Amino acid sequence: MAPPKSPSSPHIVMFPFMAQGHIIPFLTLAKLLDDRTPYTITFVSTPLNIKNLQSSLPPDTSIRLTSLPFNPSDHGLPSNAENTNSIPFHLFIHLCQATQTLQPSFYHLLTSISQQDCGPPLCIIGDIFLGWTVDVARQFDIFHVAFSSCGAYSMAAYFSLWLHLPHAKTRLETFQLPGFPETFRLHRSQLASYLREADGSDPWSVYIQKQISLSLHSNGMLCNAIEEMETTGLEIFRRIIAGIPVWCVGPLIPPSFIDSSSSSSSHSLKLSLGRTGKEPGISIDSCTSWLNLHHPRSVLYISFGSQNTISIPQMMELALGLEASGKPFIWVIRPPIGFDVSEDFRVEWLPEGFEERITETKRGMLVKKWAPQVEILSHGSIGGFLSHCGWNSMVESLSQGVPLIGWPMAAEQFYNAKMMEEELGVCVEIGRGVEEIVGREKVEKVIGVVMGGTEKGEDMKREAVRVGEMIKAAMRGGEGVEKGSSVAAIDDFIKTALSKRGVVE
Ligand code: UDP
């Protein structure tokens, strides 16, 4: 039960970047902090994001959702463009740049909280991509931590790459990253196109380098990482950000999915809305009934996250490869490249008769629009996840002991895939980026390796279960139970914030 909130208890102010992969773990952290501390949590975003999140919280919650005025059209964006999941990739940078105009209203919000509480908030947890929140925190002398929704290894690579531009002149196919051991080499194809071309003066470089530099002046970093799972990555990350304390507080997944004992379908649906603020495009009951038809660990789940997608020719090849593999599957379909992201599903995106065939034979299920992902992954019939390697997706999968087929497409996804394959042995990469088409034969072959009872597939499964146990252990806590590393880190982070304020608990 959450400790009682006194009207005079200070605030923790949380401000995620406007993307589902950031808002979702932030909200989970907000709920954990609300449960574990007597402080009032104020969760800040723009009006549409806040409106979507309202359904995510129970009516009796003490978390306050606060929106800052934001008009996307003032920044050359469509009127609903308040989240990366509602815009195509080429507009992402405009949304990033526009976030900086929220600085004055964030300042006003902190002023009014400070007046109401007769003192400034206890701390600000600002997204690493909103580094400018550090500047605002400084003006009030508030303890600030930069939050990374990603793991430590990928953040280390991300920082190293963006702080050592350009990479366009790198002649070698593979190269070493500053701050990383000599044995660690990246291939040029593991650089997103905008990073490959970045030279320090283009809009991406200017925005990201600035946010990283500002975040390096934060009082600490909170990572959606698990200390035991990323020992090497953390060592490198700590070295790169020299001297800033890092608290690993992951996995930021609702505790009921870490503790597998609660899985009634109505409960799960409630959690799905509560976790993501988005209405699933399919009911959890339909998913569960369909999954119940299949053998344990036999179904492949396919999703490219909340903002990535593939081309129509690629969808065709993937569909035919899935059919050829003989494995049952659930495929979450977002409109292909070139289509409006909110467009309704069209049959011509897939091979003729594909949907009818897989539906009739119960071989496959298509989820058009948002899927209740964590609920699907936690069903015992899921045996593999073909993923774009977004960090949240990877951790959600591993927390359920589900091995991965990696298809990194952008941002830090390339380093996530590399880490999962090379360090943890729980992933096989099937493709890289969206320019080259992955043929149906390769799709069939890789699915066969991971889910066809091969020695490699069995090893991956075993490792995924082992890592899953590690992930679960990190979040253990409560009466009479020794605290897991992430629970202990959350408590230590709060203790540090209090000590900086001169309050010792
Ligand atoms: N997600 C979901 N349903 C979907 C697509 C995504 O619930 O149909 C959730 C997923 O469970 C994860 C987040 O959205 O928590 C996506 O974050 P991730 O880091 O995996 O990828 P991103 O979308 O940021 O690229």
Side-chain angles (χ1 to χ4, degrees):
M1 230 230 294
K5 315 277 166 188
S6 107
S8 60
S9 71
H11 274 73
I12 295 177
V13 177
M14 302 183 67
F15 198 165
F17 178 70
M18 292 104 90
Q20 288 308 107
H22 294 236
I23 291 175
I24 293 171
F26 248 87
L27 191 64
T28 307
L29 180 62
K31 289 177 185 167
L32 284 171
L33 290 170
D34 190 44
D35 279 349
R36 294 192 74 77
T37 74
Y39 309 116
T40 303
I41 313 294
T42 288
F43 197 90
V44 185
S45 194
T46 56
L48 269 182
N49 286 307
I50 291 296
K51 187 165 167 254
N52 290 338
L53 287 171
Q54 259 140 13
S55 60
S56 302
L57 296 172
D60 58 347
T61 182
S62 50
I63 297 177
R64 297 187 193 172
L65 295 175
T66 302
S67 61
L68 302 180
F70 183 66
N71 185 359
S73 343
D74 293 345
H75 309 282
L77 290 162
S79 58
N80 68 343
E82 294 189 22
N83 188 305
T84 55
N85 83 347
S86 53
I87 48 176
F89 177 76
H90 71 270
L91 293 179
F92 281 18
I93 185 61
H94 298 286
L95 182 62
C96 290
Q97 289 166 329
T99 64
Q100 298 172 113
T101 63
L102 296 168
Q103 189 158 342
S105 47
F106 188 52
Y107 180 93
H108 287 306
L109 173 68
L110 294 178
T111 309
S112 87
I113 292 176
S114 305
Q115 279 163 359
Q116 271 166 33
D117 291 358
C118 303
L122 174 67
C123 75
I124 295 173
I125 306 177
D127 202 296
I128 250 174
F129 288 99
L130 304 179
W132 53 263
T133 56
V134 177
D135 272 347
V136 185
R138 287 289 158 272
Q139 292 171 51
F140 290 84
D141 197 20
I142 301 172
F143 185 74
H144 180 283
V145 289
F147 177 87
S148 158
S149 52
C150 304
Y153 183 98
S154 53
M155 265 298 113
Y158 202 74
F159 273 37
S160 176
L161 284 161
W162 281 105
L163 294 177
H164 295 91
L165 294 175
H167 303 292
K169 294 194 185 109
T170 312
R171 280 171 209 274
L172 298 173
E173 280 292 282
T174 67
F175 58 98
Q176 198 205 327
L177 257 66
F180 276 72
E182 250 171 57
T183 46
F184 178 99
R185 295 189 79 78
L186 268 192
H187 192 273
R188 283 177 61 74
S189 58
Q190 287 170 306
L191 298 177
S193 56
Y194 55 98
L195 172 55
R196 217 177 301 151
E197 285 147 24
D199 63 5
S201 66
D202 57 286
W204 275 111
S205 308
V206 171
Y207 182 76
I208 295 181
Q209 285 192 330
K210 189 167 163 202
Q211 306 316 308
I212 291 179
S213 307
L214 287 164
S215 293
L216 289 173
H217 288 96
S218 183
N219 300 103
M221 303 246 177
L222 281 181
C223 272
N224 185 13
I226 298 100
E227 189 86 41
E228 299 80 359
M229 182 175 136
E230 289 208 82
T231 41
T232 312
L234 270 161
E235 210 182 295
I236 302 168
F237 188 50
R238 287 194 164 108
R239 211 165 42 230
I240 287 179
I241 61 170
I244 304 177
V246 179
W247 290 278
C248 293
V249 297
L252 293 169
I253 306 172
S256 43
F257 287 98
I258 303 279
D259 160 15
S260 53
S261 54
S262 54
S263 60
S264 92
S265 59
S266 59
H267 178 58
S268 296
L269 177 57
K270 234 167 64 204
L271 278 170
S272 179
L273 278 169
R275 192 177 76 89
T276 68
K278 283 181 82 80
E279 191 81 43
I282 188 162
S283 83
I284 191 74
D285 282 344
S286 313
C287 285
T288 308
S289 314
W290 190 89
L291 282 163
N292 285 345
L293 298 173
H294 296 280
H295 294 299
R297 299 275 178 194
S298 66
V299 177
L300 178 68
Y301 173 65
I302 303 135
S303 168
F304 303 124
S306 65
Q307 48 191 34
N308 288 104
T309 189
I310 53 178
S311 64
I312 292 186
Q314 183 62 83
M315 281 171 91
M316 297 283 176
E317 288 300 305
L318 177 56
L320 296 171
L322 287 170
E323 271 195 298
S325 78
K327 295 286 170 204
F329 60 88
I330 295 184
W331 181 3
V332 187
I333 300 216
R334 296 189 85 229
I337 293 171
F339 285 80
D340 191 287
V341 292
S342 54
E343 186 123 356
D344 283 333
F345 175 78
R346 298 194 196 179
V347 281
E348 59 266 31
W349 293 342
L350 294 172
E352 211 182 323
F354 175 77
E355 190 175 9
E356 291 75 23
R357 284 196 299 280
I358 60 162
T359 309
E360 220 165 84
T361 55
K362 308 225 179 324
R363 273 283 322 288
M365 185 165 77
L366 302 181
V367 179
K368 302 157 187 172
K369 303 203 184 277
W370 196 251
Q373 177 161 305
V374 175
E375 292 82 348
I376 291 175
L377 285 171
S378 63
H379 193 285
S381 295
I382 297 291
F385 181 7
L386 169 46
S387 165
H388 72 308
C389 302
W391 182 251
N392 294 290
S393 292
M394 303 206 103
V395 175
E396 287 160 9
S397 190
L398 292 177
S399 73
Q400 306 304 318
V402 174
L404 294 143
I405 298 177
W407 194 336
M409 295 177 178
E412 90 304 340
Q413 296 156 15
F414 302 98
Y415 336 127
N416 291 337
K418 185 174 164 74
M419 197 272 264
M420 294 287 168
E421 184 160 357
E422 293 174 11
E423 305 272 317
L424 298 179
V426 294
C427 177
V428 169
E429 198 181 82
I430 189 172
R432 204 175 269 177
V434 287
E435 280 132 37
E436 243 176 70
I437 302 284
V438 177
R440 64 193 82 170
E441 297 80 10
K442 185 162 185 196
V443 173
E444 181 188 355
K445 186 167 159 222
V446 176
I447 295 173
V449 169
V450 178
M451 298 182 67
T454 65
E455 198 183 330
K456 180 161 175 81
E458 292 308 300
D459 284 351
M460 285 173 67
K461 227 183 269 177
R462 241 190 327 275
E463 281 308 297
V465 170
R466 187 183 67 79
V467 175
E469 290 307 317
M470 204 186 265
I471 291 178
K472 287 180 181 150
M475 271 300 175
R476 252 171 227 144
E479 294 288 304
V481 181
E482 198 188 334
K483 275 184 208 169
S485 58
S486 295
V487 173
I490 292 174
D491 291 350
D492 188 61
F493 147 65
I494 291 293
K495 215 168 121 196
T496 309
L498 283 166
S499 70
K500 299 287 174 201
R501 210 176 191 239
V503 181
V504 179
E505 279 215 319

